[in-house]
């Protein structure tokens, strides 16, 4: 099996991002920079391919990379990760040890979200805690089942985030097996988000839209209650849990993305 890192970025300056991220495997970079182009080079036995594209939107970048990849196993990556030394060996070993897995979620050292001490098949509620940096997959499984990221969601779409949850739920609907493996692959700086501007009113309206789109009305309504109460200590001072709940409901009724 061969692993390829699928790295999404904007306005790439120089090609040292591979070294800064401590990447030691084949890498496909999609650089959304306002023009189209392609270049590749080899370094220390790894092949680096860089696609410059005149397009915007993180989910579009992810899908472009999936289609252009030629690897057996792909790992999603942003431009603010630093990988551990043995990440490639650990990822490929995990897929060999769990051959039924189509998608594998790995640990991020400073962003732990799932607490398991052995490889575990994930259920629906577990998927709510997964970030894109953790997601790897057998490319063949996605291509054969026509599973990609929803381009109406994610950074640059104007509809907020949660594109990872939509992607993973689509995988489940197609019968793909999703596993979590407690192996740390990287740390994430996460210094600046391209879409999160704080828990303002638009954040909650967007969340109402996306959760209804992904879950359907009734599950999204129950989730709105849970989220408003559970996360209330993180909200801006002028937004109470009840106001957050009402704003999520507003987004659900607005239904900008449509029913699912």
């Amino acid at each position: 099996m061969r692993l390829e890192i699928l790295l999404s970025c904007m306005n790439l300056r120089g090609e040292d991002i591979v070294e800064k991220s401590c990447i030691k495997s084949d890498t496909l970079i999609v650089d959304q920079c306002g023009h189209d182009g392609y270049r590749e080079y080899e370094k220390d036995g790894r092949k680096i391919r860089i696609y410059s594209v005149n397009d915007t939107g993180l989910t579009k970048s992810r899908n472009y990379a999936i289609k252009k990849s030629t690897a057996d196993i792909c790992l999603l990556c942003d431009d603010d990760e630093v990988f551990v030394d043995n990440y490639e060996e650990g990822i490929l070993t995990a897929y060999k040890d769990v051959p039924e897995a189509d998608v594998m979620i790995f640990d991020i050292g400073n962003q732990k979200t799932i607490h398991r001490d052995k490889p575990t098949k994930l259920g629906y509620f577990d998927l709510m805690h997964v970030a894109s940096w953790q997601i790897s997959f057998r490319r063949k499984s996605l291509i054969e089942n026509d599973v990609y990221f929803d381009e109406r969601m994610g950074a640059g779409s104007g509809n907020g985030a949660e594109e990872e949850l939509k992607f993973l739920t689509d995988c489940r609907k197609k019968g793909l097996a999703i596993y979590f493996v407690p192996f740390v692959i990287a740390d994430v700086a996460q210094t600046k988000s391209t879409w999160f501007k704080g828990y303002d009113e638009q954040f909650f309206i967007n969340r109402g839209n996306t959760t209804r789109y992904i879950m359907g009305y009734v599950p999204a309504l129950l989730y709105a209650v849970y989220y408003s109460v559970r996360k209330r200590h993180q909200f801006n001072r002028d937004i109470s849990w009840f106001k957050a709940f009402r704003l999520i409901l507003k987004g659900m009724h607005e239904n900008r993305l449509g029913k699912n």
Side-chain angles (χ1 to χ4, degrees):
M1 290 188 293
R2 185 171 69 89
L3 172 70
E4 188 169 47
I5 302 292
L6 307 185
L7 194 158
S8 296
C9 64
M10 295 184 68
N11 300 313
L12 179 65
R13 296 179 180 177
E15 296 174 355
D16 60 346
I17 187 172
V18 174
E19 282 66 40
K20 288 181 178 179
S21 299
C22 297
I23 294 174
K24 299 176 181 177
S25 54
D26 290 348
T27 306
L28 190 158
I29 299 173
V30 178
D31 178 25
Q32 294 182 326
C33 58
H35 67 270
D36 295 319
Y38 175 78
R39 62 191 185 277
E40 66 177 61
Y41 65 94
E42 290 192 13
K43 186 171 183 179
D44 299 329
R46 62 181 185 264
K47 188 173 184 178
I48 313 299
R49 299 188 290 151
I50 304 173
Y51 288 90
S52 301
V53 296
N54 183 23
D55 207 347
T56 58
L58 180 57
T59 49
K60 290 182 180 180
S61 174
R62 303 277 196 221
N63 289 341
Y64 189 89
I66 292 169
K67 293 173 183 177
K68 290 295 185 181
S69 177
T70 58
D72 304 294
I73 307 298
C74 297
L75 175 68
L76 298 181
C77 176
D78 289 339
D79 58 3
D80 54 359
E81 292 183 53
V82 178
F83 287 91
V84 301
D85 287 340
N86 61 336
Y87 75 88
E88 182 175 21
E89 178 184 357
I91 291 171
L92 293 178
T93 297
Y95 274 96
K96 291 175 183 175
D97 290 345
V98 190
E100 66 271 25
D102 298 291
V103 179
M104 275 195 175
I105 311 302
F106 291 97
D107 245 340
I108 298 296
N110 61 342
Q111 300 280 343
K112 185 174 283 292
T113 57
I114 297 176
H115 299 275
R116 302 284 194 281
D117 57 6
K118 62 181 180 179
T120 306
K121 191 172 184 179
L122 296 183
Y124 181 79
F125 290 103
D126 294 314
L127 304 183
M128 295 182 181
H129 305 291
V130 176
S132 62
W133 325 297
Q134 300 173 265
I135 300 174
S136 70
F137 48 82
R138 296 185 192 273
R139 180 177 178 274
K140 183 179 179 180
S141 296
L142 264 61
I143 300 298
E144 290 183 346
N145 288 277
D146 195 30
V147 180
Y148 295 95
F149 282 88
D150 192 316
E151 295 185 0
R152 300 176 67 193
M153 304 177 68
S157 69
N159 293 319
E162 295 187 277
E163 71 274 13
E164 301 96 339
L165 177 58
K166 180 65 164 59
F167 171 77
L168 293 171
T169 54
D170 286 346
C171 286
R172 288 189 81 245
K173 288 176 182 178
K174 291 295 181 75
L176 302 185
I178 305 173
Y179 278 77
F180 170 77
V181 177
F183 172 72
V184 174
I185 58 173
D187 284 329
V188 177
Q190 194 65 359
T191 54
K192 185 178 181 180
S193 173
T194 58
W195 68 269
F196 182 66
K197 309 304 179 185
Y199 292 97
D200 56 11
E201 293 191 4
Q202 191 59 50
F203 170 86
F204 295 104
I205 293 171
N206 283 342
R207 181 150 293 245
N209 270 287
T210 55
T211 52
R212 178 173 183 176
Y213 181 51
I214 298 169
M215 303 176 184
Y217 186 84
V218 174
L221 180 61
L222 297 174
Y223 180 73
V225 176
Y226 164 81
Y227 188 87
S228 301
V229 175
R230 186 77 171 81
K231 300 286 188 177
R232 66 189 185 280
H233 299 300
Q234 300 178 23
F235 301 161
N236 297 349
R237 291 183 179 181
D238 60 334
I239 295 182
S240 65
W241 76 265
F242 186 65
K243 183 176 181 180
F245 175 68
R246 287 171 49 208
L247 289 168
I248 294 174
L249 284 183
K250 181 179 178 180
M252 290 173 60
H253 292 143
E254 182 182 273
N255 197 21
R256 186 168 63 244
L257 291 169
K259 298 178 181 179
N260 185 23

